[in-house]
Each structure stands twice: as C-alpha cells, then as structure tokens.
Amino acid sequence: PRSTLFPYTTLFRSLSLAEDPHISTIFLVARWALYETGKGYGPDVNAFRPLIDVAGSPVDGEQPALFTAALARTIASYERLGKKVVLVAPVPEAPSFVPEAFARATLFGEENGFELSRADYEAREGGVLRIFDRMRQRYGVAIVDPANVLCKRSTCDLVRGDRPLYVDGHHLSVFGAHLLAPLFAKAL
C-alpha cells in the first residue's frame, strides 16, 4: 500500500537530495517530543510512536536513548556528506486544535488567552532541548529555536491578534511560519 511505502520513499528522496552538491544546508524538522517520548499531546494525546532500533546500536532500549542514537546517526550521515546540519527545535504544541478553539471562542464571545504556559512547553519539550544541546556540543550543529519568536518569558502564543498561529495543535499556519522566516534566513 502507498502508506507503507511513503516513509521509505521520503527517506530515499531526502538522502538523494542530500547528495546534491548544490544543497549545502540540511534542516531537520519534526514533532520531536512525539519521537523522544513516544507519546502524543493535546488533541492526539493517545498517539503512540515507539521507536525500533534498526541499526542495532547498543542502547538501553528506552525511547529517549533510541531517539538520541538515531538523531546522532542522522546528523553524522549528513555531515559525512559535507552538509551543514541545522536542528529546528520544537514549536510549542497546543492543547487543542487552535483554529477551531479560537473560532468557537470568537463566536461565543469567550475570553481565552490562547497561550500555552512556558512551563508546560518546557515540560513537554525539555528532553528534546537537552538532547539538542548535546548534539550541538558533539557535532557543532546549529539550532533554530521557534520558541524565541513564539514565546515570551512565561507564555507561548497560539494566536496573535486575530490570527491563529497553528492549523491544528502542532503545525504552524502560513502566518505562524512566516513569523519564523528570519530565524531560518539567519541559519543559512
């Protein structure tokens, strides 16, 4: 079935593209905490993504250790190709489908701050951020951190003005993504 082949074709395409001499920088982007913890959040709290070590690396079998080993192998493989690797840190994951919740609140005149506490963000993404810091120390990778734009000292925005920053609970809207453009430009 097509869905079974998708991850393999995507991997093949990304490796083929990485070999292109015109591509010098690789941005690694994912919903990192889902893979680091194996657990969903917000609207898909019941999602489960167990990792399986296909490389046979000697790790203790815990999800964070498998994630760390796989990320290290990925970075090393791109660096062997002479590529600059940039890790894109996690965007804050919302506890609900943001556009739907925002529309409902607007329709019914509810006052909802549409913010996530910075403490909740750090609780969900803290393990990933520590692993990223180790990857920076070990490999010298650059890190683009969307929280520098989306978060303030104690909260992370889910809406700015009257515009949702998300299309669901974890994918940025076009408006939200445009806010991050300067971070990516700087990383190039």
Side-chain angles (χ1 to χ4, degrees):
R2 181 183 170 140
S3 61
T4 304
L5 297 175
F6 180 75
Y8 302 108
T9 27
T10 302
L11 177 62
F12 176 74
R13 277 191 219 127
S14 68
L15 292 174
S16 297
L17 286 172
E19 292 174 355
D20 184 326
H22 298 96
I23 296 174
S24 59
T25 303
I26 305 291
F27 288 86
L28 298 179
V29 182
R31 190 172 170 203
W32 299 113
L34 181 62
Y35 299 102
E36 188 261 339
T37 66
K39 299 174 186 167
Y41 181 81
D44 62 349
V45 70
N46 295 319
F48 181 60
R49 298 289 187 281
L51 295 180
I52 299 167
D53 185 17
V54 296
S57 295
V59 295
D60 63 13
E62 293 180 21
Q63 187 93 2
L66 290 169
F67 172 77
T68 303
L71 183 59
R73 284 193 304 266
T74 301
I75 292 167
S77 69
Y78 286 127
E79 288 191 341
R80 278 193 299 277
L81 293 171
K83 307 301 178 181
K84 173 185 176 184
V85 176
V86 179
L87 296 175
V88 179
V91 298
E93 293 181 66
S96 63
F97 287 112
V98 176
E100 180 181 312
F102 183 64
R104 192 175 311 119
T106 302
L107 180 65
F108 295 111
E110 299 170 1
E111 286 297 318
N112 186 329
F114 289 98
E115 298 173 329
L116 176 72
S117 79
R118 185 78 184 235
D120 286 347
Y121 166 73
E122 290 172 357
R124 170 72 173 160
E125 309 296 347
V128 171
L129 296 172
R130 286 186 293 278
I131 291 166
F132 276 23
D133 191 50
R134 289 199 305 267
M135 295 298 132
R136 178 184 12 230
Q137 292 171 15
R138 181 174 175 188
Y139 295 101
V141 297
I143 298 175
V144 167
D145 191 353
N148 290 340
V149 172
L150 302 175
C151 300
K152 300 180 241 3
R153 181 176 305 203
S154 61
T155 60
C156 299
D157 293 337
L158 305 176
V159 171
R160 290 244 172 112
D162 62 351
R163 299 181 76 179
L165 300 180
Y166 293 80
V167 297
D168 55 22
H170 55 272
H171 291 100
L172 291 175
S173 64
V174 171
F175 174 67
H178 277 286
L179 295 175
L180 304 183
L183 296 176
F184 287 89
K186 192 185 308 182
L188 290 172

Short mmCIF file of all heavy atoms in Angstrom, two decimals, residues 76-133:
data_model
loop_
_atom_site.label_atom_id
_atom_site.label_comp_id
_atom_site.label_asym_id
_atom_site.label_seq_id
_atom_site.Cartn_x
_atom_site.Cartn_y
_atom_site.Cartn_z
N ALA A 76 25.34 12.59 11.77
CA ALA A 76 26.65 12.11 11.30
C ALA A 76 26.60 11.76 9.81
O ALA A 76 27.55 12.06 9.07
CB ALA A 76 27.10 10.91 12.13
N SER A 77 25.50 11.17 9.36
CA SER A 77 25.42 10.79 7.94
C SER A 77 25.40 12.03 7.05
O SER A 77 26.04 12.05 6.00
CB SER A 77 24.20 9.91 7.68
OG SER A 77 23.00 10.63 7.82
N TYR A 78 24.71 13.07 7.45
CA TYR A 78 24.70 14.30 6.65
C TYR A 78 26.06 15.01 6.72
O TYR A 78 26.53 15.56 5.73
CB TYR A 78 23.59 15.24 7.10
CG TYR A 78 22.22 14.79 6.66
CD1 TYR A 78 21.18 14.66 7.58
CD2 TYR A 78 21.94 14.51 5.33
CE1 TYR A 78 19.92 14.25 7.17
CE2 TYR A 78 20.69 14.10 4.91
CZ TYR A 78 19.68 13.97 5.84
OH TYR A 78 18.44 13.57 5.43
N GLU A 79 26.68 14.99 7.88
CA GLU A 79 27.99 15.63 7.99
C GLU A 79 29.04 14.90 7.15
O GLU A 79 29.92 15.53 6.60
CB GLU A 79 28.40 15.74 9.45
CG GLU A 79 27.59 16.81 10.18
CD GLU A 79 28.12 17.15 11.54
OE1 GLU A 79 28.90 16.36 12.12
OE2 GLU A 79 27.74 18.22 12.05
N ARG A 80 28.92 13.57 7.04
CA ARG A 80 29.85 12.83 6.17
C ARG A 80 29.71 13.26 4.72
O ARG A 80 30.65 13.14 3.94
CB ARG A 80 29.61 11.32 6.30
CG ARG A 80 30.28 10.69 7.50
CD ARG A 80 30.30 9.17 7.43
NE ARG A 80 28.97 8.57 7.38
CZ ARG A 80 28.19 8.34 8.44
NH1 ARG A 80 28.61 8.64 9.65
NH2 ARG A 80 27.01 7.77 8.30
N LEU A 81 28.52 13.75 4.36
CA LEU A 81 28.30 14.26 3.01
C LEU A 81 28.74 15.71 2.87
O LEU A 81 28.57 16.33 1.82
CB LEU A 81 26.82 14.13 2.63
CG LEU A 81 26.28 12.71 2.48
CD1 LEU A 81 24.76 12.74 2.33
CD2 LEU A 81 26.94 12.01 1.30
N GLY A 82 29.30 16.27 3.95
CA GLY A 82 29.79 17.64 3.93
C GLY A 82 28.72 18.69 4.10
O GLY A 82 28.91 19.85 3.72
N LYS A 83 27.59 18.31 4.68
CA LYS A 83 26.47 19.24 4.83
C LYS A 83 26.49 19.90 6.20
O LYS A 83 26.89 19.31 7.20
CB LYS A 83 25.13 18.52 4.67
CG LYS A 83 25.00 17.71 3.40
CD LYS A 83 25.15 18.55 2.15
CE LYS A 83 25.06 17.68 0.91
NZ LYS A 83 25.23 18.43 -0.32
N LYS A 84 26.05 21.15 6.23
CA LYS A 84 25.79 21.84 7.48
C LYS A 84 24.42 21.37 7.96
O LYS A 84 23.46 21.38 7.19
CB LYS A 84 25.78 23.35 7.28
CG LYS A 84 25.36 24.14 8.50
CD LYS A 84 25.26 25.63 8.20
CE LYS A 84 24.74 26.38 9.39
NZ LYS A 84 24.55 27.81 9.09
N VAL A 85 24.32 20.94 9.21
CA VAL A 85 23.06 20.45 9.75
C VAL A 85 22.50 21.48 10.73
O VAL A 85 23.20 21.97 11.61
CB VAL A 85 23.25 19.09 10.46
CG1 VAL A 85 21.95 18.63 11.10
CG2 VAL A 85 23.75 18.04 9.47
N VAL A 86 21.22 21.79 10.53
CA VAL A 86 20.51 22.71 11.41
C VAL A 86 19.33 21.95 12.01
O VAL A 86 18.49 21.42 11.27
CB VAL A 86 20.00 23.95 10.66
CG1 VAL A 86 19.24 24.88 11.61
CG2 VAL A 86 21.15 24.68 9.99
N LEU A 87 19.28 21.89 13.32
CA LEU A 87 18.14 21.29 14.01
C LEU A 87 17.12 22.39 14.27
O LEU A 87 17.47 23.45 14.79
CB LEU A 87 18.57 20.68 15.34
CG LEU A 87 19.56 19.52 15.28
CD1 LEU A 87 19.97 19.11 16.69
CD2 LEU A 87 18.94 18.34 14.54
N VAL A 88 15.88 22.12 13.92
CA VAL A 88 14.81 23.07 14.22
C VAL A 88 14.14 22.58 15.50
O VAL A 88 13.53 21.51 15.53
CB VAL A 88 13.80 23.18 13.06
CG1 VAL A 88 12.69 24.16 13.42
CG2 VAL A 88 14.51 23.60 11.78
N ALA A 89 14.32 23.35 16.56
CA ALA A 89 13.76 22.99 17.86
C ALA A 89 12.23 22.93 17.77
O ALA A 89 11.63 23.47 16.84
CB ALA A 89 14.21 24.00 18.92
N PRO A 90 11.61 22.29 18.72
CA PRO A 90 10.15 22.10 18.66
C PRO A 90 9.36 23.40 18.73
O PRO A 90 9.73 24.30 19.49
CB PRO A 90 9.85 21.26 19.91
CG PRO A 90 11.15 20.76 20.41
CD PRO A 90 12.21 21.67 19.90
N VAL A 91 8.29 23.45 17.96
CA VAL A 91 7.32 24.52 18.17
C VAL A 91 6.47 24.09 19.36
O VAL A 91 6.28 22.89 19.58
CB VAL A 91 6.42 24.79 16.94
CG1 VAL A 91 7.25 25.25 15.75
CG2 VAL A 91 5.58 23.59 16.58
N PRO A 92 5.99 25.03 20.14
CA PRO A 92 5.12 24.66 21.25
C PRO A 92 3.90 23.91 20.72
O PRO A 92 3.29 24.33 19.73
CB PRO A 92 4.72 26.00 21.86
CG PRO A 92 5.82 26.93 21.45
CD PRO A 92 6.25 26.47 20.10
N GLU A 93 3.55 22.80 21.35
CA GLU A 93 2.37 22.04 20.96
C GLU A 93 1.18 22.55 21.75
O GLU A 93 1.24 22.70 22.96
CB GLU A 93 2.58 20.56 21.22
CG GLU A 93 3.65 19.94 20.33
CD GLU A 93 3.83 18.46 20.57
OE1 GLU A 93 2.88 17.71 20.27
OE2 GLU A 93 4.89 18.07 21.07
N ALA A 94 0.09 22.81 21.04
CA ALA A 94 -1.11 23.36 21.67
C ALA A 94 -1.95 22.25 22.29
O ALA A 94 -1.97 21.11 21.81
CB ALA A 94 -1.94 24.11 20.63
N PRO A 95 -2.69 22.57 23.35
CA PRO A 95 -3.54 21.57 24.00
C PRO A 95 -4.84 21.31 23.25
O PRO A 95 -5.63 20.46 23.66
CB PRO A 95 -3.82 22.19 25.37
CG PRO A 95 -3.68 23.65 25.16
CD PRO A 95 -2.64 23.83 24.08
N SER A 96 -5.09 22.02 22.13
CA SER A 96 -6.32 21.84 21.36
C SER A 96 -6.05 22.20 19.90
O SER A 96 -4.97 22.67 19.57
CB SER A 96 -7.42 22.75 21.91
OG SER A 96 -7.05 24.10 21.75
N PHE A 97 -7.05 21.95 19.05
CA PHE A 97 -6.96 22.42 17.68
C PHE A 97 -7.19 23.92 17.72
O PHE A 97 -8.30 24.38 17.97
CB PHE A 97 -8.00 21.73 16.78
CG PHE A 97 -7.68 20.30 16.48
CD1 PHE A 97 -8.44 19.28 16.99
CD2 PHE A 97 -6.60 19.99 15.67
CE1 PHE A 97 -8.14 17.96 16.70
CE2 PHE A 97 -6.28 18.66 15.38
CZ PHE A 97 -7.06 17.65 15.90
N VAL A 98 -6.15 24.68 17.49
CA VAL A 98 -6.19 26.12 17.72
C VAL A 98 -7.25 26.84 16.90
O VAL A 98 -8.06 27.60 17.46
CB VAL A 98 -4.79 26.75 17.51
CG1 VAL A 98 -4.84 28.26 17.64
CG2 VAL A 98 -3.80 26.14 18.51
N PRO A 99 -7.32 26.66 15.57
CA PRO A 99 -8.33 27.42 14.81
C PRO A 99 -9.75 27.14 15.27
O PRO A 99 -10.57 28.05 15.38
CB PRO A 99 -8.12 26.97 13.36
CG PRO A 99 -6.73 26.46 13.32
CD PRO A 99 -6.49 25.86 14.68
N GLU A 100 -10.06 25.88 15.55
CA GLU A 100 -11.40 25.52 16.00
C GLU A 100 -11.72 26.16 17.35
O GLU A 100 -12.78 26.75 17.54
CB GLU A 100 -11.49 24.00 16.10
CG GLU A 100 -12.83 23.48 16.54
CD GLU A 100 -12.83 21.97 16.65
OE1 GLU A 100 -12.37 21.29 15.71
OE2 GLU A 100 -13.29 21.47 17.69
N ALA A 101 -10.79 26.07 18.29
CA ALA A 101 -11.00 26.66 19.62
C ALA A 101 -11.10 28.18 19.53
O ALA A 101 -11.94 28.79 20.20
CB ALA A 101 -9.86 26.26 20.55
N PHE A 102 -10.29 28.77 18.67
CA PHE A 102 -10.32 30.23 18.50
C PHE A 102 -11.64 30.66 17.87
O PHE A 102 -12.26 31.65 18.31
CB PHE A 102 -9.13 30.68 17.66
CG PHE A 102 -9.05 32.17 17.48
CD1 PHE A 102 -8.84 33.00 18.57
CD2 PHE A 102 -9.18 32.74 16.23
CE1 PHE A 102 -8.76 34.39 18.41
CE2 PHE A 102 -9.10 34.11 16.06
CZ PHE A 102 -8.89 34.94 17.15
N ALA A 103 -12.11 29.94 16.85
CA ALA A 103 -13.38 30.28 16.21
C ALA A 103 -14.53 30.14 17.20
O ALA A 103 -15.41 31.01 17.25
CB ALA A 103 -13.61 29.37 14.99
N ARG A 104 -14.53 29.08 17.98
CA ARG A 104 -15.58 28.88 18.98
C ARG A 104 -15.57 30.01 20.01
O ARG A 104 -16.62 30.56 20.36
CB ARG A 104 -15.41 27.53 19.67
CG ARG A 104 -16.60 27.13 20.50
CD ARG A 104 -16.48 25.73 21.10
NE ARG A 104 -16.09 24.74 20.12
CZ ARG A 104 -14.97 24.01 20.17
NH1 ARG A 104 -14.15 24.14 21.18
NH2 ARG A 104 -14.68 23.13 19.24
N ALA A 105 -14.39 30.36 20.49
CA ALA A 105 -14.28 31.43 21.48
C ALA A 105 -14.74 32.76 20.90
O ALA A 105 -15.43 33.54 21.57
CB ALA A 105 -12.84 31.54 21.98
N THR A 106 -14.39 33.02 19.65
CA THR A 106 -14.80 34.25 18.99
C THR A 106 -16.32 34.28 18.80
O THR A 106 -16.98 35.29 19.08
CB THR A 106 -14.08 34.41 17.64
OG1 THR A 106 -12.67 34.39 17.86
CG2 THR A 106 -14.47 35.69 16.94
N LEU A 107 -16.88 33.17 18.35
CA LEU A 107 -18.32 33.07 18.10
C LEU A 107 -19.13 33.29 19.37
O LEU A 107 -20.15 33.97 19.37
CB LEU A 107 -18.64 31.70 17.49
CG LEU A 107 -20.10 31.43 17.15
CD1 LEU A 107 -20.57 32.38 16.05
CD2 LEU A 107 -20.27 29.99 16.72
N PHE A 108 -18.66 32.72 20.47
CA PHE A 108 -19.41 32.80 21.72
C PHE A 108 -18.91 33.90 22.66
O PHE A 108 -19.33 33.98 23.80
CB PHE A 108 -19.40 31.44 22.43
CG PHE A 108 -20.11 30.38 21.65
CD1 PHE A 108 -19.41 29.33 21.08
CD2 PHE A 108 -21.49 30.45 21.45
CE1 PHE A 108 -20.06 28.35 20.35
CE2 PHE A 108 -22.15 29.47 20.71
CZ PHE A 108 -21.44 28.42 20.16
N GLY A 109 -17.99 34.72 22.18
CA GLY A 109 -17.52 35.84 22.98
C GLY A 109 -16.73 35.44 24.21
O GLY A 109 -16.68 36.17 25.20
N GLU A 110 -16.10 34.29 24.16
CA GLU A 110 -15.30 33.82 25.29
C GLU A 110 -13.94 34.49 25.29
O GLU A 110 -13.33 34.68 24.24
CB GLU A 110 -15.12 32.30 25.23
CG GLU A 110 -16.42 31.53 25.29
CD GLU A 110 -16.23 30.06 24.98
OE1 GLU A 110 -15.09 29.63 24.72
OE2 GLU A 110 -17.25 29.35 24.97
N GLU A 111 -13.46 34.83 26.43
CA GLU A 111 -12.12 35.39 26.57
C GLU A 111 -11.17 34.25 26.90
O GLU A 111 -11.23 33.67 27.98
CB GLU A 111 -12.08 36.45 27.67
CG GLU A 111 -12.75 37.75 27.29
CD GLU A 111 -12.05 38.43 26.12
OE1 GLU A 111 -10.81 38.46 26.08
OE2 GLU A 111 -12.76 38.92 25.22
N ASN A 112 -10.36 33.89 25.97
CA ASN A 112 -9.35 32.86 26.18
C ASN A 112 -8.04 33.44 25.68
O ASN A 112 -7.98 33.95 24.57
CB ASN A 112 -9.71 31.58 25.43
CG ASN A 112 -8.77 30.45 25.75
OD1 ASN A 112 -7.59 30.67 26.03
ND2 ASN A 112 -9.27 29.24 25.72
N GLY A 113 -7.02 33.40 26.50
CA GLY A 113 -5.75 33.99 26.15
C GLY A 113 -5.04 33.33 25.00
O GLY A 113 -4.14 33.89 24.40
N PHE A 114 -5.43 32.11 24.64
CA PHE A 114 -4.79 31.36 23.58
C PHE A 114 -3.27 31.40 23.71
O PHE A 114 -2.55 31.76 22.80
CB PHE A 114 -5.26 31.81 22.20
CG PHE A 114 -6.67 31.37 21.96
CD1 PHE A 114 -7.72 32.24 22.17
CD2 PHE A 114 -6.95 30.07 21.61
CE1 PHE A 114 -9.02 31.83 22.00
CE2 PHE A 114 -8.26 29.64 21.44
CZ PHE A 114 -9.30 30.53 21.64
N GLU A 115 -2.87 31.02 24.90
CA GLU A 115 -1.45 30.91 25.20
C GLU A 115 -1.21 29.58 25.89
O GLU A 115 -2.10 29.01 26.50
CB GLU A 115 -1.01 32.03 26.15
CG GLU A 115 -1.17 33.42 25.59
CD GLU A 115 -0.88 34.49 26.62
OE1 GLU A 115 -1.12 34.27 27.82
OE2 GLU A 115 -0.43 35.56 26.20
N LEU A 116 -0.01 29.12 25.77
CA LEU A 116 0.45 27.93 26.47
C LEU A 116 1.49 28.42 27.47
O LEU A 116 2.31 29.28 27.12
CB LEU A 116 1.10 26.97 25.47
CG LEU A 116 1.73 25.70 26.01
CD1 LEU A 116 0.65 24.73 26.46
CD2 LEU A 116 2.60 25.05 24.94
N SER A 117 1.47 27.92 28.67
CA SER A 117 2.48 28.39 29.62
C SER A 117 3.86 27.92 29.17
O SER A 117 4.01 26.82 28.61
CB SER A 117 2.17 27.90 31.03
OG SER A 117 2.57 26.55 31.18
N ARG A 118 4.83 28.75 29.39
CA ARG A 118 6.22 28.39 29.05
C ARG A 118 6.63 27.15 29.84
O ARG A 118 7.37 26.30 29.34
CB ARG A 118 7.14 29.58 29.34
CG ARG A 118 8.58 29.41 28.93
CD ARG A 118 8.72 29.62 27.43
NE ARG A 118 10.07 29.37 26.98
CZ ARG A 118 10.79 30.24 26.29
NH1 ARG A 118 10.30 31.41 25.98
NH2 ARG A 118 11.99 29.92 25.90
N ALA A 119 6.12 27.03 31.08
CA ALA A 119 6.44 25.86 31.90
C ALA A 119 5.90 24.58 31.26
O ALA A 119 6.58 23.55 31.26
CB ALA A 119 5.87 26.03 33.31
N ASP A 120 4.68 24.62 30.69
CA ASP A 120 4.13 23.45 30.00
C ASP A 120 4.95 23.11 28.76
O ASP A 120 5.20 21.94 28.46
CB ASP A 120 2.67 23.68 29.62
CG ASP A 120 1.72 23.60 30.81
OD1 ASP A 120 2.15 23.14 31.89
OD2 ASP A 120 0.56 24.02 30.65
N TYR A 121 5.34 24.14 28.02
CA TYR A 121 6.19 23.92 26.84
C TYR A 121 7.50 23.24 27.25
O TYR A 121 7.91 22.25 26.65
CB TYR A 121 6.48 25.26 26.14
CG TYR A 121 7.60 25.18 25.14
CD1 TYR A 121 7.42 24.54 23.92
CD2 TYR A 121 8.85 25.74 25.41
CE1 TYR A 121 8.45 24.45 23.00
CE2 TYR A 121 9.88 25.66 24.48
CZ TYR A 121 9.68 25.02 23.29
OH TYR A 121 10.70 24.92 22.37
N GLU A 122 8.15 23.75 28.27
CA GLU A 122 9.43 23.19 28.70
C GLU A 122 9.27 21.80 29.28
O GLU A 122 10.15 20.96 29.12
CB GLU A 122 10.11 24.15 29.66
CG GLU A 122 10.59 25.41 28.94
CD GLU A 122 11.10 26.50 29.85
OE1 GLU A 122 11.05 26.36 31.10
OE2 GLU A 122 11.54 27.54 29.31
N ALA A 123 8.14 21.52 29.94
CA ALA A 123 7.90 20.18 30.46
C ALA A 123 7.76 19.18 29.30
O ALA A 123 8.30 18.07 29.37
CB ALA A 123 6.64 20.16 31.33
N ARG A 124 7.05 19.56 28.25
CA ARG A 124 6.85 18.67 27.10
C ARG A 124 8.13 18.53 26.27
O ARG A 124 8.48 17.44 25.84
CB ARG A 124 5.71 19.23 26.23
CG ARG A 124 5.55 18.56 24.87
CD ARG A 124 4.98 17.18 24.96
NE ARG A 124 4.69 16.66 23.61
CZ ARG A 124 4.55 15.39 23.35
NH1 ARG A 124 4.62 14.49 24.30
NH2 ARG A 124 4.29 14.99 22.13
N GLU A 125 8.84 19.62 26.04
CA GLU A 125 9.96 19.62 25.11
C GLU A 125 11.34 19.61 25.77
O GLU A 125 12.35 19.56 25.08
CB GLU A 125 9.87 20.85 24.20
CG GLU A 125 8.52 21.06 23.53
CD GLU A 125 8.12 19.96 22.56
OE1 GLU A 125 8.96 19.12 22.18
OE2 GLU A 125 6.95 19.96 22.16
N GLY A 126 11.39 19.63 27.09
CA GLY A 126 12.67 19.73 27.79
C GLY A 126 13.66 18.63 27.45
O GLY A 126 14.85 18.89 27.27
N GLY A 127 13.19 17.39 27.35
CA GLY A 127 14.08 16.29 26.99
C GLY A 127 14.69 16.48 25.62
O GLY A 127 15.89 16.26 25.42
N VAL A 128 13.89 16.91 24.67
CA VAL A 128 14.38 17.17 23.31
C VAL A 128 15.41 18.29 23.33
O VAL A 128 16.47 18.18 22.70
CB VAL A 128 13.21 17.53 22.36
CG1 VAL A 128 13.72 18.01 21.02
CG2 VAL A 128 12.28 16.35 22.19
N LEU A 129 15.10 19.36 24.05
CA LEU A 129 16.02 20.50 24.08
C LEU A 129 17.37 20.12 24.70
O LEU A 129 18.42 20.57 24.23
CB LEU A 129 15.38 21.67 24.82
CG LEU A 129 14.13 22.24 24.14
CD1 LEU A 129 13.45 23.27 25.04
CD2 LEU A 129 14.43 22.80 22.77
N ARG A 130 17.35 19.25 25.70
CA ARG A 130 18.62 18.78 26.29
C ARG A 130 19.39 17.91 25.30
O ARG A 130 20.62 18.01 25.19
CB ARG A 130 18.35 18.03 27.60
CG ARG A 130 17.96 18.97 28.75
CD ARG A 130 17.84 18.24 30.08
NE ARG A 130 16.71 17.29 30.11
CZ ARG A 130 15.45 17.63 30.36
NH1 ARG A 130 15.13 18.89 30.59
NH2 ARG A 130 14.52 16.71 30.39
N ILE A 131 18.69 17.06 24.57
CA ILE A 131 19.33 16.23 23.55
C ILE A 131 19.92 17.11 22.45
O ILE A 131 21.05 16.89 21.99
CB ILE A 131 18.34 15.19 22.97
CG1 ILE A 131 18.00 14.14 24.05
CG2 ILE A 131 18.90 14.53 21.71
CD1 ILE A 131 16.80 13.27 23.72
N PHE A 132 19.17 18.12 22.03
CA PHE A 132 19.68 19.05 21.01
C PHE A 132 20.94 19.74 21.50
O PHE A 132 21.89 19.92 20.73
CB PHE A 132 18.62 20.09 20.66
CG PHE A 132 17.62 19.64 19.63
CD1 PHE A 132 17.36 18.30 19.40
CD2 PHE A 132 16.92 20.57 18.90
CE1 PHE A 132 16.43 17.90 18.46
CE2 PHE A 132 15.99 20.18 17.95
CZ PHE A 132 15.75 18.85 17.73
N ASP A 133 20.97 20.12 22.75
CA ASP A 133 22.17 20.77 23.29
C ASP A 133 23.36 19.82 23.24
O ASP A 133 24.48 20.22 22.89
CB ASP A 133 21.91 21.25 24.73
CG ASP A 133 23.02 22.16 25.21
OD1 ASP A 133 23.36 23.11 24.48
OD2 ASP A 133 23.56 21.91 26.30
#
